[in-house]
Amino acid sequence: MEVLKIATAGSVDDGKSTLIGRLLYDTQSLTTDKIEAIEKSSKQKGYDYLDFSLATDGLVAEREQGITIDVAHIYFSTAKKSYIIADTPGHVEYTRNMVTGASTSQVSIILIDARKGVIEQTYRHFFINNLLRVKDVIVAINKMDLVEYSEEVFNKIKADFQALNAKSAYKEQNVSYIPLSAINGGNVAQKSENMPWYTGQTVLEHLESLETNDIYENGITRFPVQTVIRPKTEEYHDFRGYAGKLYGNSIKVGDAVTVLPSLTESKVTNIHFFDKQYDEAIAGSSITIELENDINVTRGDMIVKSSELPKIEKEITTTICWMDSKKLVGGAKYLVQHNTNRVLAKIDSVKNVIATDYSGVTPASQLAINEIGEVTIKLSKPIYFDSYTDNKSNGAFILIDPATNTTAGVGFIK
């Protein structure tokens, strides 16, 4: 079954958790005891409706304050697809959580309160989706019940967001606009009778109609080697295979390939998936590859098509989202984890802080927690990379603090 990964974003009280809870309820993904708990809690609070946000807000502080703090991953299925939702917090101080939640998502739902319209947080959420190149964005204009289901209000917010979209450099992004009332279920899984002027899809219909093949990145073939397979059994005494996940594009038996960093050339002779063999593997496949000649390949190496060599350099210019309470400054040393390759790195310079409201950049010499900026990094040995815009998997990395072993930042190579 196809799996679709979704990130939600929105300001405080825009209704993210309520929307997700309603999706779970309408797809019959909530257990009976969970529904009973929601009914009991809603009654105790004096609500005349079911508070579906209780289905997702797992932390006590979240339930008490009515906000989302941590990134929660929620799973549900329909007859067509399985879904994983990353419910990310909306506060500016949780920007790092937003980046984490959206980094592996193929679709993003940005909620807007119909009473407030496009606000600063909307700019921030859209900027992060642009930065991470999330291909499909649903702008869910929620709480239409509180503006009398006004088509005029919907059109005004849509026009404001289209003006924001015009500032985006990621022109391949698909943006859809859906008016809804999450609390009542209008246009979530069922069409709203209160908005007959809206003839488009519901949120669930839109998610169901997306072809995951269209959402997955289609670019340059990259195969980071995770491990070398040497069974050394009687049946497979001389077998040597290289296992990993294929990114970017397909690879076929007979393709001329180059192993990095050694630049050794070879050909693909066999492609294995568990106990089966294939002539071709598509992007996203976890496979084992056999090569024509017996060459030295280890974890951290990368196999690419010989006609599609990446850049191989010891200095990179990057965009960094900083996640550590200790500020990022020039001269600091970190470990760069790039695919399966880990190298020692030194921060050459912090150039600026990027405003997430599209207002530009500010010259800076350091990055504080939750800030995003342009940073140049020098490496102890070359890595083989593409720009993030050309190949997401081979253009992203994390910075690890060697003293604490914590993930201090996430980076995107320019």
Side-chain angles (χ1 to χ4, degrees):
M1 182 177 284
E2 292 181 343
V3 178
L4 193 66
K5 297 177 183 177
I6 308 162
T8 60
S11 190
V12 180
D13 293 333
D14 279 350
K16 299 187 304 299
S17 299
T18 302
L19 170 62
I20 296 169
R22 173 59 76 169
L23 272 172
L24 297 175
Y25 181 77
D26 288 348
T27 56
Q28 300 179 340
S29 300
L30 292 175
T31 58
T32 302
D33 60 330
K34 190 72 172 180
I35 295 173
E36 289 174 352
I38 291 171
E39 290 172 345
K40 182 180 178 181
S41 178
S42 300
K43 188 175 181 180
Q44 287 175 342
K45 292 180 179 180
Y47 297 158
D48 58 356
Y49 57 87
L50 295 181
D51 183 8
F52 287 112
S53 67
L54 298 172
T56 60
D57 287 338
L59 299 179
V60 172
E62 292 179 325
R63 294 196 296 269
E64 288 177 346
Q65 298 178 52
I67 63 172
T68 300
I69 297 172
D70 198 8
V71 178
H73 288 88
I74 300 105
Y75 305 82
F76 74 99
S77 298
T78 64
K80 284 188 175 182
K81 287 188 181 78
S82 290
Y83 297 92
I84 303 174
I85 301 180
D87 184 19
T88 65
H91 295 68
V92 61
E93 60 266 34
Y94 300 125
T95 298
R96 57 180 178 168
N97 302 58
M98 272 189 281
V99 172
T100 301
S103 62
T104 58
S105 298
Q106 301 144 332
V107 183
S108 183
I109 301 175
I110 298 178
L111 273 88
I112 296 176
D113 188 327
R115 299 168 301 172
K116 301 175 184 176
V118 175
I119 60 175
E120 181 185 351
Q121 283 291 75
T122 312
Y123 279 68
R124 181 174 295 105
H125 300 149
F126 189 56
F127 176 88
I128 289 172
N129 278 286
N130 289 167
L131 176 66
L132 296 171
R133 299 183 75 78
V134 178
K135 191 171 182 181
D136 204 282
V137 172
I138 300 172
V139 180
I141 301 170
N142 192 26
K143 303 192 178 183
M144 291 296 295
D145 51 301
L146 300 182
V147 293
E148 300 179 347
Y149 301 101
S150 169
E151 181 181 8
E152 184 180 349
V153 170
F154 170 76
N155 288 335
K156 171 67 168 60
I157 295 173
K158 180 179 177 180
D160 290 344
F161 198 97
Q162 286 174 328
L164 171 60
N165 190 21
K167 299 179 181 181
S168 169
Y170 183 27
K171 300 305 180 185
E172 296 82 4
Q173 195 170 52
N174 302 314
V175 181
S176 306
Y177 302 87
I178 302 177
L180 56 89
S181 173
I183 203 163
N184 299 321
N187 286 339
V188 178
Q190 305 293 331
K191 289 284 180 67
S192 172
E193 295 179 357
N194 295 306
M195 292 178 276
W197 45 265
Y198 175 71
T199 58
Q201 295 176 314
T202 65
V203 172
L204 186 59
E205 285 173 343
H206 184 87
L207 295 175
E208 293 276 83
S209 67
L210 290 174
E211 295 291 339
T212 52
N213 288 339
D214 294 337
I215 294 171
Y216 284 122
E217 176 189 21
N218 186 18
I220 304 167
T221 301
R222 298 292 181 249
F223 186 73
V225 176
Q226 292 185 6
T227 188
V228 180
I229 307 294
R230 292 295 309 276
K232 293 186 178 179
T233 61
E234 191 64 36
E235 186 180 359
Y236 298 102
H237 185 75
D238 295 320
F239 183 92
R240 182 190 291 268
Y242 311 105
K245 188 172 183 178
L246 183 65
Y247 296 97
N249 214 320
S250 63
I251 196 165
K252 299 177 183 178
V253 171
D255 279 347
V257 295
T258 298
V259 179
L260 303 172
S262 65
L263 294 175
T264 308
E265 296 185 350
S266 187
K267 281 188 179 180
V268 177
T269 55
N270 289 297
I271 299 172
H272 301 267
F273 177 76
F274 190 50
D275 59 346
K276 295 182 174 64
Q277 286 188 233
Y278 293 92
D279 291 329
E280 181 178 8
I282 61 172
S285 304
S286 294
I287 56 175
T288 299
I289 290 176
E290 283 186 89
L291 298 180
E292 185 177 55
N293 43 345
D294 190 10
I295 56 180
N296 183 28
V297 182
T298 61
R299 174 179 168 82
D301 290 354
M302 180 178 287
I303 297 173
V304 302
K305 292 182 180 178
S306 296
S307 59
E308 300 174 344
L309 292 180
K311 298 174 184 176
I312 307 174
E313 296 178 12
K314 290 178 65 175
E315 184 170 334
I316 52 177
T317 301
T318 70
T319 300
I320 299 279
C321 175
W322 194 240
M323 299 178 170
D324 201 356
S325 55
K326 182 173 68 176
K327 293 181 179 180
L328 178 67
V329 296
K333 293 182 179 180
Y334 291 90
L335 293 170
V336 164
Q337 181 74 51
H338 176 250
N339 288 318
T340 54
N341 199 7
R342 182 176 290 192
V343 300
L344 185 63
K346 180 181 178 181
I347 305 304
D348 184 47
S349 66
V350 178
K351 294 186 176 181
N352 55 52
V353 173
I354 303 171
T356 55
D357 61 358
Y358 290 90
S359 61
V361 299
T362 304
S365 59
Q366 61 184 22
L367 287 183
I369 188 169
N370 289 311
E371 287 186 331
I372 299 173
E374 187 177 342
V375 179
T376 56
I377 302 174
K378 289 185 176 180
L379 308 168
S380 60
K381 63 179 182 179
I383 61 170
Y384 13 98
F385 65 90
D386 302 287
S387 69
Y388 187 76
T389 55
D390 290 338
N391 190 295
K392 291 171 69 172
S393 61
N394 201 39
F397 63 92
I398 61 173
L399 284 173
I400 301 170
D401 188 329
T404 61
N405 208 35
T406 57
T407 300
V410 58
F412 313 96
I413 304 174
K414 291 193 171 185

